[in-house]
Amino acid sequence: MDFLGSTKANGMLTTFLSFSESSSYLMEPRCVSGLLHAVFLLVLFCSWGRGRNNGFGSVTERLKDKRGFGFKSVLFCSLVLSLLNLLLTSLSGFYWYGSDRLDEEQLVSLLMFLLQTVSWGVLSVSLHRCSDYEQRKSPLLLRIWLAFYLAVSSYSLVVVDKRHVHLLVYDIVSFSGGLLLCYVAFFKKARGGGNNNSNGVLEEPLLNGDSTVGGGGGVGSDEATPYSRAGLLSLLTFSWMGPLIEIGNKKPLDLEDVPQLHDSDSVVGLAPKFRTMLESSSSDGGGGGGVTTFKLMKALFFSAQWDILVTAFYAFIYTVASYVGPALIDTFVQYLNGRRQYSNEGYVLVITFFLAKLVECLSQRHWFFRAQKAGFRMRSSLVAMVYEKSLTLSCHSKQGRTSGEIINIMSVDAVRIGNFSWHMHDPWMVLLQVGLALWILYRNLGLASVAALIATVLVMLVNFPFGRMQERFQEKLMEAKDNRMKSTSEILRNMRILKLQGWEMKFLSKVFDLRKSEEGWLKKYVYNSAVISFVFWGTPTLVSVSTFGACILLGIPLESGKILSALATFRILQEPIYNLPETISMVVQTKVSLDRIASYLCLDNLQPDVVETLPQGGSDIAVEVTNSTLSWDVSSESPTLKDINFKVLPGMKVAVCGTVGSGKSSLLSSILGEVPKLSGSLKVCGTKAYVAQSPWIQSGTIEENILFGKPMERERYEKVLEACSLSKDLEILSFGDQTVIGERGINLSGGQKQRIQIARALYQRADIYLFDDPFSAVDAHTGSHLFKEVLLGLLSSKSVIYVTHQVEFLPAADLILVMKDGRISQAGKYIDILSSGTDFMELIGAHQEALAVVGSVDTNSASEKPALGGQEDAIGLDVKQESQDVKNDKPDTEETKRQLVQEEEREKGSVALDVYWKYITLAYGGALVPFIVLAQVLFQLLQIGSNYWMAWATPVSKDVEAPVNISTLMIVYVALAVGSSLCILVRATLLVTAGYKTATELFHKMHHCIFRSPMSFFDSTPSGRIMNRASTDQSAVDLIIPYEFGAVAITVIQLIGIIGVMSQVSWLVFLVFIPVVAASIWYQRYYIAAARELSRLVGVCKAPLIQHFAETISGSTTIRSFNQESRFRGDNMRLSDDFSRPKFYLAGAMEWLCFRLDMLSSLTFAFSLVFLISIPTGVIDPSLAGLAVTYGLNLNTLQAWLIWTLCNLENKIISVERMLQYASVPSEPPLVIESNRPEQSWPSLGEVDIHDLQVRYAPHMPLVLRGITCTFKGGLRTGIVGRTGSGKSTLIQTLFRIVEPSAGEIRIDGVNILTIGLHDLRLRLSIIPQDPTMFEGTVRSNLDPLEEYTDDQIWEALDKCQLGDEVRKKDLKLDSSVSENGENWSMGQRQLVCLGRVLLKRSKILVLDEATASVDTATDNLIQKTLREHFSDCTVITIAHRISSVIDSDMVLLLSNGIIEEYDSPVKLLENKSSSFAKLVAEYTSRSSSSFE
């Protein structure tokens, strides 16, 4: 329906404005309605004047329940009615402008619409801005008014003539609005009398427990934020951002400077609401009830529906306003040509242009800001849900999803879905924009607009196959990225082992191979993007050629005014067409991410009914297991645990023992509810505390790890420290219990980590304690102390179930469970089961055998002389003297004290130009950049040339002759169009080529540098920081930054083109343009100082979120066992809000800037229009003036877009800055020094000579080894013993040069190890480390990652380490899978695999770093026997807590606080009963024969 097409005074205009010819016009329903609105407006302003308590608030408070149906419905209804009246006011004004006369009835009608627009608008504003009040009944006046309004609307709908469809629509909307408002005012009940917690979702588990979410920062509190307390004008102009931007100009912003989020934007309020939405949509979905992609989308929509509707409203206003300019260009050209319809028409046109620009600017800015706000809320809600799921995920599900994949879901997929808020309205906006464009084209060119429609539809259809390909490439790219991140995560976790073994470069090549696969899909993705970009950049040209060609065929005259209007329309149509590829890409990416999150949320949770929890005090048992069969893999034919029966009474001590892989740890896990139950029952009465076999330590202080969320009770805390032997350790540490522990406890020894775990459990005051072999990681003395003080002391009245390999701890148990092949083979007291079966006797026999070795050495010590003559005496004396000298040294000064793990380093100030230069020149030395710029310049010139040609070569009106014939006109235009399209193809291809190459180079550079960095870098850098760069920053470099660089270049060139065209017509534009550009640059510099730091804070705040997430995944069992889920959820929410805060204010800062730039460019445009209408007719060619206006319409958009892209580039280039930061980390010494390579046979003897060795972990940290001098003779076995934390493991790390000595030297067979390459050293030595490590892959790849050995050699090694039979049982033999961290192998089996590695390697020097800590005594004896047999001629250095492992050594080195206390043969040391070693052996033997009772 084209009701704008007629300009006849007696036509539709008269019908529209004159509803009655009678003198009683003012009594018409529409006039009565207008008068009613005038009264309503008067009442609103009068009541406002009476003060806030009785003002807008009292009129609207009844509707102001933000959570409820009432408020949202009424506000939306008010906005729609205001918008509808605004539209009709505009149309009436347009008809008035187009008509020759204006009668009083038309004027009254115009005023009525205007009154209704203002009154509904004021109501909307008052609803939005008034404070929250308690819910009371609606004011009587408001209800009376609404009743009148409904009556008038009903009468108007029934009585008035309905020949005009637009008026009928208006009456229907008015009646519907009146009905809804009356319902809310008269019938909607108030919510719960002011109770703020009326929303049931707050009872959801997400907010149970202690309220640590605020973290002292008021996250989600009611405290007013700059945004929430801003006035209307401040909101409109984004002035509420001013104070923060001002602070950013005075100093670099820190997180403390960034205001909190309002509670409506905080995850604390969002997560429960989203969870409720998701659960309700899942339950409505009928069968299955699982989370599907559709249900997830539905929940996201309803949780942010208000933001989505408001942004849709802004997007609609923006779209309509942006087409006002093209619609009026023809009129403007005709005006300049002298065809004027009324006086002052030029000024009316200028005002209309300017107002349209003003509305366009305001609506666009608020649309963008609201859209980003909605995106942050979606991301926060999804992160909370994914985190919640990770806390409840079953172990079987977790094996299918590695921590790297789960972190990717949070750090990439949730962010991508949040970013989709930018594009969510694009699909319907494309239809609206195309519709408006066709309407303008139809007005100007008639039926030729059909050709434009066909061309547009064809282009969109062409895009479908490209879109499908893009989706596939995106999916594959994400899969490849997941695999790479999974591998990277595992490698970073185990970097110490890789460096000890000399495998890091092999694993780096594995990461490069995974990246190569990712790059393959990335290449396809970016080149497909280039094709889509070419298609859509060429679309406006294709559409214009088709349209003008159709005009010629249909005989429609081409006039310059109509041509320019069409070109302006095509230019605006470019926006949705340019954005459509990105929209399609984002839809595709978002769909993939939604699928991934939905599939993750569908994974199986832990069975909630595995353990029946009895009420405290309601039972006389602590744990009861009856006929239980449990299995980690429910589908497996052989369950993990079979027919388990036992009962634990309160206060009982239950010991669990058995050989490696017999099911001991699984038994404890089943009591925690971690193992799926197939049959039987498990009952537990009371709270639980759990100490895992592999210590789980959080990043944070030692005190935080021990308190674990509980309040500090100093007396109890000190008792726990004393019981766990931690007091002395804390004295040594520079910061005591405030020492920050690195990731996974990297700056603590194995024993210290284990004792902190035990202290954490003790501090919890639980009823039932589950200990999974915690004594194996500590020395004999500490083990005895822990058993006495903890199990028999502080926990004497508690129920304790402890797994142990130390037989000496068994007699003290009230009940011993002997495990074999997943069954309890024997159960009873120590004396009872000693003679009742063979399994227990085997363990006891192995223990007796070990004791016999100790006994024999002890007995011989009195009679035998030392095997190594007097030389050793001299060594011993020297050692003691030197150690004493070191003790007398001055302690480290306070200045050198610094925590190992520092705050993440971030650059401050502007991003260095060097970063841009490095990025640009990384690919082919920057050779492609000039060609990219040249292609864009040519495109711009050809585009301007083609438009200039069409404006010049077509007549201004029908009565003017065209300067060229039609065929010439089209041939030249088509030639220029084809040339510009080819330039776009060249530019798009070169841009993605350069971007792809740069991303690849940067990836290789950073990863190579990280893998070559010293171990101290990994000790002080949480893996979350490295993962953040390898994941988020790499994604930005792969997919965002090349396009940001391209966008800046394109926009600069387009802007120069526009200025050039406008200055052709009016050089005076420069007079305004120069100060405007100067003001724009000043604003940009003023803004960027704050925005840059906010962007950096986003990067810095993301790492702790990922770190906390990764720690939670690895420690979920411990967290659940302590019932600490709610506290960890709270921490996650706090970190999530800390991440959202700088993002929110960064978005506000961007809109603050863009609003001001839009205003400046709109004023420039208005000035140029005023200049054009002020000069006499004929001075300027109307066609060229029209062309200037056509380009000028885009001036504000482009100027704002240029600043936007510049700022965006500076914000995104920080990813490159962060990657380059890690690409310049200092490297370790060279892997191979060609000029000083040792002989192939080195070391032939294996003699290790240490002289004055001093070691510290970092320059700012105290010495750990303080002047050690000794010699390990070649071919002898040396045992190293000492208290936990005495420096045993540090000595070994120095031998492998994991830590470089501060002073002194180590020589092996006379070769100074500091002078040779690291790989030459590490590959010639062998080690079985303290933490047994297996990597995801196969048995073969774990034993022989460098692929140096045959299958026969591998089988031989497996047989020697007692794993051959176990591997042969598996279907795939050597290719049997090993899951992440070797989770599907027991700790003891993993240790045996490490033994297998050294048996394959057969080095001359073998180091055992507490290698048998995790195995039972029988297996330990087997390992010792194997080593004696196969390494008899090798130098074996053994660190062990079991005396039996070192007692038969040729020499024993006893360390204490980093100095040598004793070094001699065990026989000689045992002769001296006062020696520390003799006391250690005596304690071990007495402990072994004692029952601790």
Side-chain angles (χ1 to χ4, degrees), residues 399 1370 1377-1386 1389-1390:
Q399 280 185 4
K1370 298 180 182 290
S1377 67
V1378 175
S1379 62
E1380 189 181 21
N1381 296 330
E1383 296 286 349
N1384 55 343
W1385 293 68
S1386 77
Q1389 287 170 328
R1390 280 181 251 168

Side-chain angles (χ1 to χ4, degrees), residues 818-1107:
V818 183
M819 300 293 295
K820 187 172 185 183
D821 297 331
R823 297 177 188 273
I824 297 176
S825 61
Q826 290 174 268
K829 281 192 170 256
Y830 184 80
I831 301 299
D832 300 337
I833 63 171
L834 200 54
S835 54
S836 63
T838 57
D839 297 329
F840 190 60
M841 280 306 296
E842 281 177 21
L843 293 171
I844 297 296
H847 179 62
Q848 299 295 347
E849 190 182 318
L851 272 181
V853 175
V854 178
S856 66
V857 175
D858 205 357
T859 309
N860 293 339
S861 65
S863 55
E864 282 188 23
K865 288 191 176 180
L868 306 160
Q871 190 186 350
E872 273 64 32
D873 292 321
I875 292 173
L877 289 169
D878 287 348
V879 166
K880 290 214 168 183
Q881 185 59 49
E882 284 188 29
S883 300
Q884 195 59 44
D885 292 344
V886 174
K887 275 186 177 176
N888 295 333
D889 280 352
K890 288 182 180 177
D892 292 320
T893 57
E894 282 298 316
E895 285 74 19
T896 63
K897 285 187 179 182
R898 221 165 81 215
Q899 297 280 19
L900 172 67
V901 180
Q902 301 293 316
E903 284 292 312
E904 181 169 2
E905 181 187 340
R906 70 178 168 107
E907 303 286 343
K908 299 207 172 179
S910 60
V911 177
L913 288 174
D914 189 42
V915 175
Y916 294 93
W917 182 249
K918 280 180 183 172
Y919 180 84
I920 290 170
T921 56
L922 210 53
Y924 310 109
L928 296 182
V929 176
F931 294 103
I932 294 169
V933 173
L934 180 63
Q936 181 60 33
V937 168
L938 285 173
F939 166 74
Q940 193 62 34
L941 289 173
L942 291 169
Q943 277 279 71
I944 292 171
S946 62
N947 293 342
Y948 195 94
W949 170 256
M950 290 302 284
W952 175 82
T954 49
V956 176
S957 58
K958 294 175 187 176
D959 49 357
V960 177
E961 189 180 343
V964 296
N965 61 41
I966 292 293
S967 58
T968 308
L969 175 77
M970 285 311 293
I971 288 167
V972 172
Y973 185 66
V974 169
L976 291 169
V978 169
S980 66
S981 296
L982 288 174
C983 288
I984 283 300
L985 182 61
V986 171
R987 189 213 71 202
T989 308
L990 291 179
L991 183 65
V992 297
T993 303
Y996 165 78
K997 179 69 175 172
T998 305
T1000 306
E1001 290 290 324
L1002 206 51
F1003 177 89
H1004 281 77
K1005 204 170 178 182
M1006 183 182 82
H1007 278 72
H1008 189 270
C1009 202
I1010 288 171
F1011 275 66
R1012 286 286 294 112
S1013 58
M1015 202 59 223
S1016 57
F1017 170 74
F1018 298 95
D1019 288 347
S1020 58
T1021 308
S1023 64
R1025 292 181 193 171
I1026 302 171
M1027 295 282 282
N1028 201 4
R1029 283 162 173 80
S1031 173
T1032 311
D1033 292 328
Q1034 186 64 49
S1035 282
V1037 171
D1038 283 345
L1039 299 169
I1040 298 173
I1041 293 174
Y1043 300 106
E1044 294 292 344
F1045 266 100
V1048 169
I1050 291 164
T1051 313
V1052 167
I1053 292 163
Q1054 282 186 310
L1055 202 55
I1056 292 168
I1058 286 180
I1059 296 162
V1061 171
M1062 289 180 75
S1063 61
Q1064 281 289 307
V1065 176
S1066 165
W1067 59 267
L1068 284 170
V1069 170
F1070 275 112
L1071 293 180
V1072 178
F1073 196 77
I1074 290 166
V1076 164
V1077 167
S1080 298
I1081 291 169
W1082 181 85
Y1083 267 125
Q1084 195 264 345
R1085 299 322 302 166
Y1086 184 70
Y1087 148 89
I1088 198 67
R1092 186 193 304 118
E1093 298 309 318
L1094 285 169
S1095 189
R1096 284 179 174 141
L1097 282 172
V1098 170
V1100 169
C1101 289
K1102 189 166 188 179
L1105 183 61
I1106 293 175
Q1107 178 73 19

Side-chain angles (χ1 to χ4, degrees), residues 231-240 314 362 365-366 1155-1156:
L232 181 62
L233 188 64
S234 179
L235 280 174
L236 276 176
T237 60
F238 295 94
S239 300
W240 54 272
Y314 285 135
L362 275 169
R365 300 280 61 90
H366 286 277
F1155 172 78
R1156 282 149 183 76

Side-chain angles (χ1 to χ4, degrees), residues 58-132:
S58 67
V59 177
T60 58
E61 63 196 14
R62 173 66 190 86
L63 309 172
K64 184 64 177 169
D65 176 9
K66 284 201 175 183
R67 294 182 303 273
F69 167 79
F71 168 75
K72 290 184 178 178
S73 306
V74 173
L75 183 50
F76 185 66
C77 181
S78 306
L79 282 170
V80 168
L81 286 168
S82 180
L83 173 64
L84 191 59
N85 280 289
L86 178 64
L87 189 64
L88 291 174
T89 306
S90 306
L91 291 174
S92 299
F94 189 75
Y95 289 135
W96 166 38
Y97 147 76
S99 64
D100 296 330
R101 65 187 179 84
L102 178 71
D103 58 31
E104 60 183 39
E105 290 179 6
Q106 288 174 321
L107 184 61
V108 168
S109 182
L110 184 65
L111 285 172
M112 294 303 122
F113 284 128
L114 192 61
L115 267 172
Q116 291 173 105
T117 302
V118 173
S119 57
W120 287 116
V122 169
L123 179 62
S124 304
V125 171
S126 64
L127 277 170
H128 184 66
R129 296 309 304 157
C130 75
S131 305
D132 286 319

Side-chain angles (χ1 to χ4, degrees), residues 148-161:
F148 269 107
Y149 177 72
L150 181 63
V152 172
S153 300
S154 307
Y155 179 68
S156 180
L157 186 63
V158 174
V159 173
V160 177
D161 180 27

Side-chain angles (χ1 to χ4, degrees), residues 246-423:
E246 189 179 351
I247 293 170
N249 267 275
K250 291 176 181 172
K251 71 179 192 72
L253 289 175
D254 292 311
L255 194 59
E256 295 74 38
D257 301 316
V258 182
Q260 297 293 339
L261 296 172
H262 190 249
D263 52 359
S264 62
D265 297 313
S266 167
V267 69
V268 180
L270 295 170
K273 182 181 174 186
F274 176 69
R275 180 192 173 91
T276 307
M277 294 281 185
L278 191 59
E279 286 175 352
S280 63
S281 66
S282 293
S283 57
D284 293 346
V291 178
T292 62
T293 305
F294 175 72
K295 289 173 185 173
L296 194 60
M297 283 169 60
K298 188 176 165 188
L300 281 169
F301 173 79
F302 283 113
S303 64
Q305 60 181 332
W306 179 240
D307 280 321
I308 292 170
L309 291 173
V310 170
T311 51
F313 169 73
Y314 285 135
F316 177 79
I317 293 287
Y318 163 75
T319 306
V320 172
S322 66
Y323 277 93
V324 170
L328 294 178
I329 279 183
D330 188 24
T331 310
F332 191 74
V333 170
Q334 298 307 326
Y335 172 84
L336 294 178
N337 198 34
R339 288 176 57 188
R340 297 169 189 191
Q341 299 178 31
Y342 54 88
S343 60
N344 296 325
E345 182 188 6
Y347 290 104
V348 170
L349 282 169
V350 170
I351 290 167
T352 309
F353 272 120
F354 181 70
L355 285 176
K357 276 286 161 201
L358 205 61
V359 171
E360 181 188 332
C361 153
L362 275 169
S363 54
Q364 186 183 37
R365 300 280 61 90
H366 286 277
W367 163 30
F368 282 6
F369 177 69
R370 281 272 191 166
Q372 289 179 83
K373 190 162 157 268
F376 302 153
R377 298 171 94 177
M378 288 181 193
R379 183 201 60 79
S380 296
S381 302
L382 286 170
V383 167
M385 282 303 295
V386 172
Y387 185 85
E388 168 79 7
K389 184 72 181 182
S390 70
L391 281 173
T392 59
L393 210 58
S394 71
C395 289
H396 187 65
S397 298
K398 208 186 270 187
Q399 280 185 4
R401 296 287 181 119
T402 62
S403 55
E405 285 178 295
I406 299 171
I407 288 166
N408 244 5
I409 285 172
M410 184 213 72
S411 65
V412 177
D413 293 303
V415 171
R416 182 169 289 138
I417 290 166
N419 290 343
F420 181 67
S421 60
W422 280 100
H423 305 272

Side-chain angles (χ1 to χ4, degrees), residues 480 483-484 487 509-518:
N483 290 334
R484 173 173 64 81
S487 183
S509 67
K510 182 183 172 186
V511 171
F512 282 166
D513 288 343
L514 289 167
R515 172 66 182 177
K516 203 166 187 178
S517 164
E518 185 184 349

